[in-house]
Amino acid sequence: MPAFTGMFPSACSSNKALPDSAHVGYNERDAIRGNDSSNSFHEVMCLAKARDVDMVLLAGDLFHDNKPSRKSMFEVMRSLRMNCYGEKPCELEMLSDPSECFQGTFNHVNYEDPDINVAIPVFSIHGNHDDPSGEGHLAALDLLQISGLVNYYGRTPESDNILIKPVLLQKGGTKLALYGMSNVRDERLFRTFRDGKVKFFQPGTQKGDWFNIMSVHQNHHAYTETGYLPENFLPEFLDLIVWGHEHECLINPRYNPEMNFHVMQPGSSVATSLMPGEAVPKHVAILSVTGRDFKVETIRLKTVRPFVMKEIVLSEDKEAKRWAKTENHRPKLTAHLVAIVDKLIEQAKEEWMETQEDTDLDEELEVPLPLIRLRVEYSAPDGGNFDCENPQRFSNRFVGKVANVNDVIQFHRKKAGATRNAQSGADLPEESIMAQLSIDSVKVEKLVREFLTAQSLTILPQNSFGDAVSQFVDKDDKHAMEMFVNESLTNQIKNLLNLDQYDEDDILTAMDVHKSKLEELFAKGHLRKSKKAKLKPKPDHWDSDIDGDWGDQPGALIHSDVEDAADDVDDAASLTSTVTAAKGRGRVAPKKAVASTKKAAPKTARGKKQMVDEESDEEEPDVVMVDAEEDEDELFVKAAAATRGGRKPAAAKTAAAPKRAPARAAAIQSKLTFSQPASQGNGKGKGKAVQPIRDEISDDEDEAFAPPPPTARSTRAKR
C-alpha cells in the first residue's frame, strides 16, 4: 500500500508522504503479531495528520485479504475517520471530471461531498491482495469509498484494453496529475502493453506545467520473462513512479536515465514473510512538490516489530566445521546455533530502542518480541555430516523470547545433481532452482511453474494449473483446484468423444493437442473460470460449530449440472415419498394416481360417503390441483372430481388398494372400471375397488381406462 500524503505548506508548493504497504489483517489471529499491521497503518495516518498534509495516496494492498475480516475493516475505518475527518478545509481543487475517475453511486471526490467534512482526502488503487471479486465485482475499497473515507481510482475493468485517465488537482500554482493503474495479472499486463492496448491521457492544456505522478502495483523485478512490468513500458512524460507490491523499502527516489523519471518503492509496513527484503528498516516519505520540482523527507516508523535475519554456512564456520566428522555432535551444534539466535535477539532489541530515542514518554518502554530468522546451510564437507535438530523443536526453545516461535531457524542444503525424485515419484527441479525458490520470497505461481516444468502433463494445462493453485493459496478459494481438475477432465472427455479413431497413439496426440490449445486460450485471456462454485444443500444434521463450515467440505461442491439436476430430483423424490408415507398410513400410492380431473365423482352409498368425510381432513394435503385446460390424456389414472363446491377430493383415496387382487391380475389389463357395484347404490353393501398393477400398465394405454360414472352429489356436500 504505498501511499502519498500530499502537503502544500504554501500556495505554490506540495508535500506528499509516502507510507509503506499496510496489509491490514495479516496474521491477525496470531496472539502475538495479530495487531502489527493495524498499528503500523494507524501510525502512518497519525503522521499524516500531525504533519498537516493535504492528501494521502495509497498504491494497493491496504488489506491483506480481498475479503477482510470485521476487525480489519473496523481498524482501518477507525483510523481513517480519526485522522482524515476534521474542520480544516481541503484546499485541493478538482479540475478533471470526477465521474471519469471514480465509479459507483458517489462518483465524486469525498472532500466535495456536502454531507461530510474531509480534511485529508485519501486516494487509493487496489493491489493483488485486496482486488475486486465475487458478485458485483466489488473490492473492500468500494465499501470505504461509499462510506466517504477513500477515493477509489485507477480501476482496470478490462485487462486487455486499459485506459488510464489522470485525476487533475491544483493548489495555487502547483498542478498535480495523479495517474493510477490497479493490479493486473503480470503476464497479461505485459502482453497488453506489448500489443499497444494501454492508453494514457494527458491534460489538454498546459501540459508542461503538470507534475505527473503514477501509482502502480506490479512486479518490479523480472521473476520470469513476462511476469513483471518493465519501467520502459511506462510513458516518458511521467515525473515520479510510486511502485507498490514490492515489500523491500527503497524509499529514496531512483532516477531512470532512459525514461527520464524517478522511481520510488516505499515497501511494506509489516513483515509478511521472513526474508532479507523485509528486514530493511521501514520508512514513510513526505514528498514536497513545487511546480515541477520535488524533494523527499523520510521518517522511520516506530511501531514496526523488530526483525533481524542472518544466514550462515556451517561448512565455513570455524567451530561447526570441527564437528562435521565426529559422532554425537548434535548437542554441541544445537548449543552453538542457540547462542547465535540469542545474539540476534539482543541486536533486535538494541535496534528498536534506537528508533524510540526521540519518543516523549515517561514510562519505560517495553520492547516487543522480535522476529528472528536464522538460515543455516548445512552441507557438510566430504566424508562429514551435520546432525541438525528438528527446526520446530529448535524454534520452540525461544517461546517468550521471539514472536515467531515456530520458524526461527531454516535449514537448507545444496546438492550437485540434475534432478531428484520425491517419494511419490514426481520429478523436482534442480537443486539450484529449488534453492532460489524459497517459500519466503517466491510467488506460488512461479513455484508451481518450476515444479511442473520437470513433469510431463498430459491432461491438465500448466498455466491454468498455476492460476488455480494461486487462487487456492492467495484468495482462499477452497474449491479452486477441485473445479479446475473437473473442468479440465470434462473438456478432455468432450474432445475425445469427437474423435473418429480410437487408437492409443491418436488419443494421446489428441489429448496433447487439446491441452496445448487450452494453454494458448488461457494465455490469451479467453479461458477463465466459467462459473461460480455451487454447493449442495447443507444436511439437517450438520453443525457448523462442531463440524466446520459446510462450504469448506470437499463433498459440498456440485461438480456438474447433471449432478445438480440429480440432486434436485433426489430431494423432490425424498420429499414426496416422505409426505405420502406419512399421510397414506404406510401405503405409497402410485404418483400419477394422485392427479385429479374434471370428471364427476362416482356415486357412493351413505356409509361410503361418511367414510370419505371422516378421512378427508387427512387426505387434503395430498390433493394435486390440475389446470382445467390440461389434456386429460396426459394423466396416468383419471380420478373423480367434485361437480360443485370448488374443491377436488383426494384421488389417491379413490384408487386405494383393495383387500385382495382380482384373479385375472396376472394378465395385462386392457380395461379397468372404477364404478361401484349395483349393491352400493342402496347403501347396503360395500364395493371393492380394483387396484391396477403398476408394473403391467404402460403409458400408452391411457385410452383403455374407462372414466367413472358421474356422481349426483359431492363427497363434501355434507361438510
Side-chain angles (χ1 to χ4, degrees):
M1 179 216 66
F4 276 103
T5 307
M7 294 195 305
F8 298 81
S10 63
C12 60
S13 65
S14 165
N15 297 331
K16 301 173 180 62
L18 309 171
D20 311 34
S21 298
H23 285 275
V24 176
Y26 170 74
N27 212 8
E28 62 181 345
R29 295 186 179 182
D30 189 279
I32 301 175
R33 306 163 61 185
N35 296 323
D36 288 1
S37 58
S38 57
N39 291 340
S40 297
F41 176 73
H42 185 64
E43 180 187 3
V44 170
M45 298 309 301
C46 290
L47 282 173
K49 183 178 181 180
R51 301 299 291 266
D52 193 25
V53 301
D54 288 294
M55 62 174 291
V56 176
L57 177 64
L58 312 179
D61 283 354
L62 172 58
F63 295 99
H64 186 71
D65 191 356
N66 63 354
K67 292 179 284 188
S69 65
R70 296 179 184 176
K71 178 184 177 182
S72 300
M73 184 63 71
F74 170 80
E75 293 292 342
V76 169
M77 297 180 73
R78 178 181 66 90
S79 182
L80 290 175
R81 181 166 181 174
M82 289 176 59
N83 297 285
C84 296
Y85 284 1
E87 298 180 353
K88 187 194 79 166
C90 181
E91 302 181 25
L92 297 178
E93 180 182 0
M94 184 77 174
L95 300 182
S96 57
D97 184 2
S99 63
E100 295 183 354
C101 306
F102 311 104
Q103 300 177 6
T105 305
F106 303 96
N107 54 356
H108 56 265
V109 287
N110 58 351
Y111 62 84
E112 292 183 352
D113 194 313
D115 298 325
I116 55 179
N117 191 9
V118 177
I120 303 176
V122 178
F123 296 85
S124 177
I125 63 175
H126 74 252
N128 62 311
H129 282 269
D130 53 4
D131 57 333
S133 64
E135 186 176 359
H137 201 63
L138 299 175
L141 293 178
D142 285 295
L143 302 180
L144 298 180
Q145 173 174 303
I146 203 168
S147 62
L149 295 171
V150 166
N151 299 300
Y152 179 20
Y153 79 110
R155 304 173 191 245
T156 53
E158 299 181 56
S159 56
D160 55 354
N161 185 26
I162 302 176
L163 304 178
I164 302 178
K165 298 182 179 181
V167 178
L168 302 180
L169 303 172
Q170 181 177 1
K171 181 180 179 183
T174 300
K175 297 181 176 64
L176 178 67
L178 186 59
Y179 294 84
M181 183 177 62
S182 295
N183 178 262
V184 180
R185 183 182 175 89
D186 290 293
E187 290 79 6
R188 176 170 293 185
L189 183 64
F190 188 97
R191 182 173 60 255
T192 305
F193 267 101
R194 183 191 59 194
D195 297 342
K197 295 183 179 181
V198 180
K199 185 176 181 180
F200 287 80
F201 292 80
Q202 290 185 263
T205 58
Q206 300 177 340
K207 294 183 179 180
D209 297 339
W210 294 88
F211 186 82
N212 302 288
I213 302 179
M214 183 173 183
S215 300
V216 298
H217 193 96
Q218 304 293 149
N219 281 340
H220 199 181
H221 304 287
Y223 298 103
T224 61
E225 293 182 0
T226 60
Y228 74 111
L229 176 61
E231 293 183 2
N232 56 11
F233 277 9
L234 300 176
E236 296 182 358
F237 66 83
L238 296 174
D239 297 299
L240 179 65
I241 311 297
V242 181
W243 212 289
H245 187 60
E246 301 288 351
H247 283 208
E248 184 177 2
C249 183
L250 304 175
I251 198 68
N252 295 316
R254 175 183 55 81
Y255 179 67
N256 185 332
E258 178 185 358
M259 304 305 298
N260 196 30
F261 54 59
H262 290 78
V263 180
M264 176 186 294
Q265 183 176 299
S268 172
S269 59
V270 60
T272 59
S273 59
L274 303 180
M275 55 179 293
E278 297 278 17
V280 178
K282 309 294 186 180
H283 289 79
V284 62
I286 295 184
L287 178 70
S288 301
V289 179
T290 305
R292 295 295 302 275
D293 300 327
F294 72 94
K295 62 180 181 179
V296 176
E297 175 188 358
T298 61
I299 303 174
R300 184 169 180 176
L301 298 178
K302 300 179 180 180
T303 58
V304 179
R305 186 176 297 275
F307 174 34
V308 176
M309 182 174 180
K310 184 177 181 179
E311 183 169 0
I312 63 173
V313 180
L314 292 182
S315 59
E316 299 176 359
D317 188 278
K318 294 182 180 180
E319 296 185 17
K321 191 175 183 180
R322 296 178 300 174
W323 304 325
K325 297 183 180 181
T326 62
E327 297 181 355
N328 300 325
H329 63 268
R330 176 183 290 188
K332 297 180 181 180
L333 180 59
T334 301
H336 177 64
L337 297 178
V338 168
I340 296 177
V341 173
D342 288 335
K343 293 181 180 179
L344 295 179
I345 294 175
E346 294 299 324
Q347 177 185 346
K349 292 180 179 180
E350 294 176 359
E351 293 179 356
W352 189 85
M353 292 299 298
E354 292 177 359
T355 63
Q356 313 297 322
E357 291 180 353
D358 56 345
T359 303
D360 298 333
L361 294 176
D362 298 333
E363 301 179 1
E364 184 178 356
L365 295 177
E366 181 180 357
V367 181
L369 297 179
L371 296 172
I372 303 297
R373 168 53 64 89
L374 177 63
R375 283 176 53 88
V376 180
E377 200 272 294
Y378 67 107
S379 299
D382 296 338
N385 180 44
F386 288 113
D387 187 8
C388 301
E389 190 177 24
N390 179 272
Q392 186 166 359
R393 186 182 301 116
F394 179 91
S395 302
N396 290 339
R397 295 172 178 267
F398 302 95
V399 173
K401 297 182 180 180
V402 299
N404 55 318
V405 295
N406 293 321
D407 51 2
V408 171
I409 197 167
Q410 182 184 40
F411 294 105
H412 67 100
R413 180 169 54 185
K414 296 181 180 180
K415 284 185 178 180
T419 60
R420 60 189 178 95
N421 295 331
Q423 294 180 356
S424 60
D427 296 330
L428 298 180
E430 296 181 0
E431 283 293 338
S432 59
I433 298 178
M434 292 296 293
Q436 299 174 2
L437 299 180
S438 170
I439 295 298
D440 292 335
S441 60
V442 72
K443 292 181 63 178
V444 174
E445 294 180 21
K446 183 179 180 182
L447 185 63
V448 174
R449 186 185 304 110
E450 295 294 345
F451 180 81
L452 294 180
T453 301
Q455 317 301 318
S456 58
L457 296 180
T458 306
I459 300 177
L460 303 179
Q462 179 174 322
N463 49 9
S464 303
F465 193 107
D467 181 71
V469 175
S470 177
Q471 294 292 327
F472 177 81
V473 176
D474 296 336
K475 307 303 179 187
D476 196 25
D477 188 349
K478 298 178 177 59
H479 301 292
M481 292 299 301
E482 189 175 0
M483 291 188 64
F484 162 71
V485 173
N486 292 333
E487 291 179 2
S488 299
L489 293 177
T490 301
N491 290 334
Q492 282 284 12
I493 292 174
K494 291 181 179 179
N495 177 61
L496 294 178
L497 291 177
N498 295 329
L499 293 179
D500 296 333
Q501 300 178 356
Y502 297 93
D503 294 338
E504 183 177 355
D505 296 338
D506 295 336
I507 291 177
L508 294 177
T509 303
M511 293 174 63
D512 186 63
V513 171
H514 187 67
K515 180 180 73 74
S516 302
K517 182 179 179 181
L518 293 178
E519 292 177 347
E520 182 180 355
L521 291 175
F522 183 85
K524 294 181 179 180
H526 300 316
L527 185 63
R528 306 298 298 171
K529 184 184 289 188
S530 58
K531 57 185 177 180
K532 187 178 180 181
K534 293 183 179 180
L535 302 180
K536 299 177 181 178
K538 184 171 68 174
D540 296 335
H541 65 275
W542 190 270
D543 190 341
S544 300
D545 296 334
I546 299 176
D547 302 325
D549 188 4
W550 170 247
D552 297 343
Q553 307 304 314
L557 180 65
I558 295 178
H559 300 284
S560 64
D561 296 337
V562 176
E563 184 179 351
D564 190 10
D567 289 341
D568 294 340
V569 172
D570 292 343
D571 294 341
S574 61
L575 179 61
T576 303
S577 61
T578 303
V579 174
T580 306
K583 300 300 182 180
R585 301 180 181 176
R587 295 176 300 181
V588 180
K591 294 182 179 180
K592 296 186 179 181
V594 182
S596 61
T597 66
K598 294 180 62 179
K599 298 296 182 181
K603 292 182 180 181
T604 56
R606 183 169 300 179
K608 182 67 176 182
K609 190 180 301 180
Q610 182 179 359
M611 180 187 67
V612 174
D613 287 342
E614 290 176 355
E615 298 183 1
S616 61
D617 292 339
E618 296 182 3
E619 295 297 331
E620 183 174 353
D622 289 341
V623 174
V624 178
M625 303 302 294
V626 181
D627 190 353
E629 298 178 1
E630 264 191 47
D631 188 4
E632 295 180 357
D633 292 337
E634 297 177 0
L635 301 179
F636 186 64
V637 177
K638 300 178 180 178
T643 57
R644 59 177 178 174
R647 303 287 296 274
K648 291 183 174 63
K653 204 64 183 181
T654 306
K659 293 183 179 178
R660 69 172 183 268
R664 299 173 58 187
I668 299 178
Q669 300 176 1
S670 61
K671 182 176 181 180
L672 290 177
T673 175
F674 290 88
S675 60
Q676 302 293 341
S679 60
Q680 287 189 353
N682 54 15
K684 294 182 180 180
K686 294 184 179 180
K688 298 179 181 179
V690 179
Q691 180 187 19
I693 299 178
R694 188 175 181 181
D695 295 338
E696 299 175 354
I697 301 176
S698 59
D699 294 338
D700 57 354
E701 294 177 349
D702 291 334
E703 67 275 33
F705 296 99
T711 183
R713 304 180 64 185
S714 173
T715 57
R716 301 181 184 268
K718 287 187 177 184
R719 176 162 292 215

